[in-house]
């Protein structure tokens, strides 16, 4: 990975302070799960205005574990809010069921906070000992930075949203917008596909 395509810890912390981060974080995690997951069977991370619907911020079921996604059912709480420890405790206390009805002791609880939550691993260890969930994990901004290193498509998507220029690589959406806008009026997909 070259420096122009990297998303650093400082980039994420700056992004977390932006107005759009709270509603975009679920989409970011959904994209990471779909890009890096192995045997993803279900994924649900409502983004945009869906973040206000209540309930868990995300649910995943996978056939296989990866570095950041546990095997089986996992429930996710996401935040960009400062005061990570308090937010983690607040979310954890109110969650005691799995969206698909499976028992909590068969599911993993994940708290991801895009902040420098120094005691994330310790917090997760302490909650895991309680035995309410099969496992509890705590991810902070450094975990998220590492995860993004393994997901080039999602990293590119995030760089575009951050307004960071990238050299030599564009998403399909960005490429189409540039190419179609080269004419007046703007080309439509129907024009391009007319002879197919």
């Amino acid at each position: 990975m070259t420096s122009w395509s990297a998303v650093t810890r400082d980039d994420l912390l700056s992004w977390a302070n932006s107005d759009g981060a709270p509603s975009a974080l679920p989409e970011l995690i959904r994209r990471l799960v779909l890009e890096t997951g192995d045997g993803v069977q279900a994924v649900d991370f409502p983004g945009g205005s869906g973040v206000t619907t209540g309930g868990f911020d995300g649910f995943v079921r996978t056939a296989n574990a990866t570095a950041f996604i546990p095997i089986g059912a996992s429930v996710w709480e996401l935040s960009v809010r400062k005061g990570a420890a308090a937010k983690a405790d607040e979310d954890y206390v109110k969650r005691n069921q799995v969206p698909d009805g499976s028992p909590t002791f068969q599911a993993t609880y994940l708290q991801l906070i895009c902040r420098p939550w120094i005691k994330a691993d310790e917090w997760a260890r302490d909650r895991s000992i309680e035995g309410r969930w099969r496992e509890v994990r705590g991810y902070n901004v450094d975990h998220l930075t590492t995860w993004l290193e393994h997901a080039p498509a999602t990293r590119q998507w995030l760089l575009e949203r951050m307004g960071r220029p990238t050299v030599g690589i564009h998403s399909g959406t960005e490429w189409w917008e540039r190419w179609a806008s080269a004419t007046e009026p703007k080309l439509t997909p129907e024009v391009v596909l007319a002879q197919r």
Side-chain angles (χ1 to χ4, degrees), residues 10 25-26 34 88 113 121 151:
D10 291 337
L25 182 60
L34 290 170
I113 300 178
D121 292 333

Side-chain angles (χ1 to χ4, degrees), residues 28 36 55 82 96 124 140 180:
L28 171 63
T36 65
K82 293 179 180 178
N96 56 12
N140 61 21

Side-chain angles (χ1 to χ4, degrees), residues 73-110:
S74 57
V75 294
W76 299 64
E77 286 294 330
L78 311 174
S79 180
V80 296
R81 197 172 93 185
K82 293 179 180 178
K87 174 62 173 160
D89 287 338
E90 178 186 312
D91 285 345
Y92 183 80
V93 166
K94 65 183 179 183
R95 302 301 181 206
N96 56 12
Q97 60 185 9
V98 181
D100 71 352
S102 57
T104 57
F105 64 84
Q106 292 179 356
T108 300
Y109 179 94
L110 287 104

Side-chain angles (χ1 to χ4, degrees), residues 162-182:
M162 290 177 167
R164 288 263 309 275
T166 56
V167 179
I169 186 170
H170 304 286
S171 69
T173 302
E174 184 183 4
W175 178 87
W176 171 259
E177 284 301 317
R178 288 181 181 188
W179 187 79
S181 298

